[in-house]
């Protein structure tokens, strides 16, 4: 099948029987639901990009498995150049959507599972890698969106998998059958899960021998029996339900999505199992997936940052403050922070190296440094954006007030809309509505529904800050650095 367009992708979702719960009820037509729709549009952008001739080089690739042209989101990176192009594509999509376009978790999972299954087979004589290659060709040829599902709910963080009072708090095998396995558990805050055709499930952390049943990796269609999702709500999400809502949404077309994905005794056939008890490879899979996703943030968050910087500059311009030297300096600072993140994304890609399976992996230390910076810089970028925007960003009347023709019975006999227009005007020649639009955009990304994807996800997505610090400690090679110091300082022990 040829590469899907965004419209074809949306139609393909209608053919699935995905079970979605939202605001306390089952939502049969979730595809057209105003709260879900922007996140679907955002994924659709990843499909449309592949059809734009000027972006063909970034958005498509040639499959190492089939030799066919595929969407880069289902590509196995075969060079450092592929890794760099991945980051550039993510920045581009961040610029186009100012949102999380959700499809990267699948891409990152493909690359991690591909190399891990290869090494697992070498040690254990299993045949997961061949099964996974066949699965990848199916995904590539059908241009499917896949949720790379890692994070378990985890319950009591002080206890291991099997010590939990409720054993389902980590996804586990509950039954082994000749034709496959049955799994139970859940994956929490799953980016784009509802919009995915498939779920590729991985362990959430390393697993000990006693917790073998939790060392499991498999793929299932999103509408498998026993699988359902509960939509994660976002700040100000119900604004999307207001009739005719536009300006107040800040970003009407695009948005992100997270959900709880529940597996209540889901059957997985043998050919879709890629780890089944090989606990010594769980940690490798987790580290590799996390590494790729930490690289990803050096692309997507930077693209969104570009839009935020532009919006802050516009807010200053519309308010007549753009010539002030401190505003110029703040825009420089935002740019410096944003480009530092991009530098990390590019650096860990350029320093990538081949795995034993042949696909390329990012430089782990640099990818973790990238994400550690992402836990900080977007917060500072947002802080400066709020500084430049001013308090109006959060105190402005609603779009309905601005549009209202209701006459206010006072001496001037102006309508509510006219009063709003008069007092929220900025520089001459700029319609008040434009000023409103840019401030509502900033409100949305700083503390509205889009803040999930730009702020909190920058902190916790692809692992919370401490997870990167553990990896940095492991990769930092302090002993070798001590030796450098000894050599230069003439220390002989
Ligand atoms: Fe992709 Fe960024 Fe969203 Fe992760 S947070 S899925 S890298 S857009
Ligand atoms: Fe993420």
């Amino acid at each position: 099948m040829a590469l899907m367009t965004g419209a074809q992708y949306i139609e393909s979702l209608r053919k699935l029987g995905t079970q979605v719960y939202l605001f306390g009820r089952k939502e049969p037509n979730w595809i057209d639901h105003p709260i879900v729709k922007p996140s679907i549009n955002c994924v659709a952008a990843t499909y449309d990009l592949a059809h734009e001739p000027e972006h063909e080089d970034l958005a498509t690739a040639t499959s190492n498995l089939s030799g066919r042209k595929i969407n880069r989101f289902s590509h196995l990176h075969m060079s450092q150049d592929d890794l760099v192009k991945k980051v550039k594509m993510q920045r581009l999509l961040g610029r186009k959507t100012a949102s999380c376009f959700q499809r990267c978790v699948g891409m990152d999972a493909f690359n991690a599972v591909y190399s891990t299954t290869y090494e697992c087979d070498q040690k254990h004589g299993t045949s997961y890698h061949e099964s996974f290659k066949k699965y990848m060709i199916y995904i590539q040829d059908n241009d499917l969106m896949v949720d790379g599902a890692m994070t378990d709910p985890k319950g009591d963080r002080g206890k291991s998998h099997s010590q939990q009072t409720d054993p389902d708090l980590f996804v586990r095998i509950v039954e082994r059958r000749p034709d496959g396995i049955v799994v139970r558990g859940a994956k929490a805050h799953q980016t784009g899960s509802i919009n995915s055709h498939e779920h590729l499930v991985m362990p959430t952390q390393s697993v000990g021998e006693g917790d073998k049943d939790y060392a499991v990796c498999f793929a299932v269609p999103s509408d498998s029996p026993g699988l359902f999702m509960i939509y994660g709500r976002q700040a100000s999400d119900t604004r999307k339900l207001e009739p005719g809502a536009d300006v107040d949404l800040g970003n009407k077309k695009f948005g992100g999505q997270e959900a709880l994905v529940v597996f209540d005794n889901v059957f997985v056939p043998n050919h879709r199992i890629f780890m089944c008890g090989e606990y010594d490879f769980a940690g490798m899979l987790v580290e590799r997936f996390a590494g790729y996703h930490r690289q990803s943030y050096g692309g997507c968050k930077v693209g969104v940052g570009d839009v935020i910087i532009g919006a802050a500059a516009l807010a200053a311009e519309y308010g007549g403050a753009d010539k002030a030297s401190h505003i110029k300096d703040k825009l420089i600072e935002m740019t410096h922070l944003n480009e530092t993140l991009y530098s990390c994304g590019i650096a860990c890609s350029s320093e990538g190296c081949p795995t034993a399976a042949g696909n390329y992996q990012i430089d782990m230390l640099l990818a973790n440094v990238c994400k550690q910076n992402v836990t900080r810089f977007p917060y500072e970028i947002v802080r400066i954006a709020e500084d430049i925007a001013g308090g109006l960003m959060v105190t402005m009347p609603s779009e309905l007030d601005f549009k209202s023709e209701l006459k206010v019975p006072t001496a001037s006999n102006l309508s509510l809309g006219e009063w709003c227009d008069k007092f929220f005007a900025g520089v001459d020649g700029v319609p008040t509505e434009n000023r409103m639009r840019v401030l509502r955009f900033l409100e949305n990304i700083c503390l509205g529904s889009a803040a999930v994807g730009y702020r909190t996800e920058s902190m916790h997505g692809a692992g919370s800050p401490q997870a990167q610090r553990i990896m940095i400690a492991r990769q930092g090679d302090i002993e070798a650095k001590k030796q450098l110091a000894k050599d230069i300082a003439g220390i002989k022990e």
Side-chain angles (χ1 to χ4, degrees):
M1 182 179 168
L3 295 170
M4 274 199 272
T5 62
Q8 287 168 333
Y9 156 71
I10 295 172
E11 282 316 299
S12 74
L13 291 179
R14 293 187 197 281
K15 298 193 186 102
L16 291 172
T18 309
Q19 311 289 315
V20 177
Y21 291 81
L22 171 62
F23 288 151
R25 54 187 286 265
K26 190 165 178 190
E27 188 51 66
N29 186 19
W30 53 271
I31 296 171
D32 297 309
H33 196 287
I35 288 190
V36 186
K37 195 81 189 167
S39 71
I40 299 178
N41 291 339
C42 218
V43 179
T46 71
Y47 284 91
D48 282 333
L49 193 74
H51 293 273
E52 293 176 12
E54 68 272 36
H55 299 308
E56 189 185 7
D57 188 42
L58 285 189
T60 66
T62 302
S63 168
N64 64 307
L65 301 175
S66 69
R68 290 187 279 277
K69 183 178 172 183
I70 55 170
N71 191 300
R72 187 171 294 281
F73 278 96
S74 43
H75 187 45
L76 297 160
H77 319 298
M78 299 310 290
S79 63
Q80 292 156 335
D81 187 48
D82 269 345
L83 289 167
V84 169
K85 281 181 179 157
K86 171 197 164 185
V87 171
K88 291 188 173 182
M89 171 181 73
Q90 289 168 315
R91 183 172 188 172
L92 178 64
L93 279 164
R95 294 170 84 128
K96 281 176 176 274
T97 62
S99 297
C100 165
F101 32 89
Q102 306 145 56
R103 205 173 166 188
C104 327
V105 281
M107 166 172 54
D108 293 339
F110 299 150
N111 278 276
V113 175
Y114 187 77
S115 63
T116 306
T117 49
Y118 183 89
E119 288 172 51
C120 179
D121 288 357
Q122 298 282 304
K123 181 172 175 195
H124 291 292
T126 43
S127 55
Y128 299 131
H129 190 64
E130 277 312 307
S131 303
F132 189 68
K133 272 161 64 175
K134 289 192 187 118
Y135 177 72
M136 275 313 303
I137 292 172
Y138 166 72
I139 295 300
Q140 293 176 345
D141 285 352
N142 291 283
D143 203 9
L144 299 181
M145 154 98 169
V146 177
D147 174 16
M150 179 159 281
T151 311
D152 287 321
K154 298 196 198 85
D156 180 344
R157 308 298 165 105
K159 292 179 177 171
S160 76
H161 301 69
S162 55
Q163 287 170 347
Q164 302 287 334
T165 308
D166 180 350
D168 295 342
L169 290 168
F170 289 81
V171 170
R172 68 195 172 110
I173 304 162
V174 288
E175 191 187 341
R176 287 180 163 83
R177 292 172 18 181
D179 53 346
I181 53 173
V182 176
V183 296
R184 277 181 75 79
K187 291 291 180 185
H189 25 85
Q190 285 308 296
T191 297
S193 53
I194 291 166
N195 300 339
S196 298
H197 303 100
E198 290 266 331
H199 279 65
L200 175 53
V201 173
M202 300 163 281
T204 200
Q205 57 196 36
S206 19
V207 174
E209 192 176 358
D211 291 333
K212 263 187 189 168
D213 287 344
Y214 296 88
V216 62
C217 174
F218 59 87
V220 285
S222 299
D223 57 356
S224 298
L227 199 166
F228 66 94
M229 301 155 196
I230 309 173
Y231 206 85
R233 79 170 309 176
Q234 301 167 335
S236 308
D237 51 6
T238 46
R239 284 193 193 184
K240 297 187 178 93
L241 301 176
E242 292 168 8
D246 174 9
V247 181
D248 280 356
L249 301 182
N251 185 347
K252 188 180 178 188
K253 188 166 181 193
F254 299 114
Q257 170 195 105
E258 267 79 24
L260 178 78
V261 184
V262 180
F263 301 82
D264 190 13
N265 286 8
V266 173
F267 174 70
V268 186
N270 283 328
H271 67 282
R272 279 171 165 264
I273 300 172
F274 312 120
M275 179 185 288
C276 188
E278 293 79 10
Y279 65 93
D280 47 339
F281 283 88
M284 176 188 286
L285 182 51
V286 173
E287 276 178 20
R288 290 184 178 178
F289 171 76
Y292 284 120
H293 209 54
R294 290 169 193 173
Q295 167 210 26
S296 287
Y297 281 27
C300 76
K301 299 288 179 261
V302 181
V304 178
D306 288 329
V307 190
I308 297 173
I309 295 168
L314 278 177
E317 198 178 302
Y318 293 168
D322 54 321
K323 303 286 182 303
S325 62
H326 74 97
I327 295 290
K328 288 181 188 159
D329 193 56
K330 282 166 185 160
L331 293 172
I332 292 168
E333 181 63 13
M334 292 170 93
T335 306
H336 165 243
L337 292 167
N338 205 41
E339 298 299 336
T340 304
L341 297 180
Y342 186 54
S343 306
C344 293
I346 294 295
C348 68
S349 307
S350 306
E351 291 285 295
C353 56
T355 64
N359 65 328
Y360 270 62
Q361 189 171 282
I362 58 292
D363 180 283
M364 277 291 180
L365 176 58
L366 296 181
N368 279 280
V369 169
C370 178
K371 173 68 214 312
Q372 181 80 176
N373 283 334
V374 171
T375 66
R376 300 169 183 177
F377 296 178
Y379 283 79
E380 182 61 7
I381 289 171
V382 156
R383 190 191 69 77
I384 301 172
E386 286 193 32
D387 176 353
I388 294 176
L392 193 54
M393 180 183 104
V394 290
T395 62
M396 222 171 13
S398 75
E399 179 176 3
L400 288 178
D401 296 308
F402 276 85
K403 286 179 180 162
S404 174
E405 292 174 5
L406 180 74
K407 291 286 180 196
V408 182
T410 56
S412 305
N413 200 33
L414 295 178
S415 70
L416 203 52
E418 286 166 327
W419 281 116
C420 288
D421 242 9
K422 173 183 168 71
F423 286 117
F424 295 110
V427 296
D428 291 344
V430 173
T432 310
E433 184 186 311
N434 289 0
R435 195 172 181 215
M436 254 186 99
R437 281 188 180 275
V438 83
L439 293 176
R440 285 292 182 212
F441 168 78
L442 285 169
E443 180 200 31
N444 180 244
I445 201 104
C446 295
L447 34 94
S449 58
V452 181
Y454 189 67
R455 280 178 50 137
T456 315
E457 192 176 41
S458 287
M459 180 68 78
H460 294 293
S464 308
Q466 189 56 25
Q468 290 110 56
R469 298 187 81 77
I470 291 166
M471 286 300 288
I472 291 169
R474 212 179 288 165
Q475 308 270 332
D477 204 357
I478 301 294
E479 286 309 312
K481 287 168 184 160
K482 275 157 66 177
Q483 191 57 49
L484 293 175
K486 283 181 195 170
D487 291 348
I488 301 277
I491 298 170
K492 292 190 175 56
E493 289 176 337

